[in-house]
Amino acid sequence: TNKNSNFIKAAGKSNTKGGGKRRKYNRKMPLSPSEKALLLSRRKRNATYEKMRLTSLKKNQAPPSIWSFDSLFPDPVFDEKSVREDLFGTKEREEELNKSR
């Protein structure tokens, strides 16, 4: 049993040399423009998500879900071009193809 207790003690130890906390790495060079853009977009995305999460918590007392009915089936957007394409697009293309023959 003595061997088992030593094994358990060794398994619980961390592999850091000093045994203390690691210091955070400080950059010596400034951020490149692409790194700055990435950091800015990440912050914007996180802020947008937090805002959405907080409004959902206030409204529904639950975090937002991508599986909600509203997110799965958003309100339709009707514009003349898409409606015309859906109704008559196939027939118009077929007529153009027959004219070119």
Side-chain angles (χ1 to χ4, degrees), residues 16-71:
T16 57
K17 287 184 178 180
K21 267 190 164 179
R22 269 184 143 177
R23 287 190 323 168
K24 186 176 179 189
Y25 174 73
N26 292 326
R27 294 178 64 104
K28 293 176 180 68
M29 297 289 293
L31 292 173
S32 69
S34 61
E35 288 174 317
K36 285 181 184 178
L38 180 69
L39 189 63
L40 183 63
S41 65
R42 182 182 300 138
R43 286 180 181 162
K44 283 182 181 179
R45 216 175 26 250
N46 286 345
T48 304
Y49 173 74
E50 282 299 316
K51 182 179 176 186
M52 180 181 67
R53 191 177 69 80
L54 290 174
T55 54
S56 178
L57 285 173
K58 287 178 186 176
K59 192 175 183 183
N60 304 329
Q61 287 75 38
S65 170
I66 62 167
W67 302 111
S68 68
F69 185 83
D70 294 334
S71 62

